[in-house]
Amino acid sequence: MATDKPRYSITLDDELFEQVENFRFENRFQTRNQATVELIRLGLEVIKNQEKKKK
């Protein structure tokens, strides 16, 4: 399935990879990519909220 979305790869150590996999299965994401995108989205949301509190 082709996509026009930007792509890149990441390298994780074993511990971080296991945490992503655990998150994936606990939240029933079908793919590792979906879980990773959600983790990034959640992390960015936390950062955004922290910045708002500083103001």
Side-chain angles (χ1 to χ4, degrees):
M1 187 160 118
T3 180
D4 291 332
K5 295 179 182 179
R7 294 174 159 241
Y8 67 95
S9 64
I10 59 171
T11 303
L12 307 174
D13 62 30
D14 291 339
E15 184 178 341
L16 191 52
F17 179 81
E18 185 175 343
Q19 289 177 18
V20 172
E21 286 293 278
N22 289 341
F23 177 82
R24 173 185 171 200
F25 289 111
E26 289 167 5
N27 293 279
R28 299 183 178 187
F29 285 98
Q30 289 186 353
T31 67
R32 189 175 297 126
N33 184 67
Q34 290 173 331
T36 303
V37 169
E38 180 65 5
L39 286 166
I40 292 169
R41 189 192 67 73
L42 290 168
L44 291 172
E45 188 175 304
V46 168
I47 292 168
K48 183 177 177 180
N49 289 336
Q50 288 173 345
E51 289 173 353
K52 284 181 182 179
K53 288 180 182 179
K54 290 179 183 178
K55 294 179 180 180

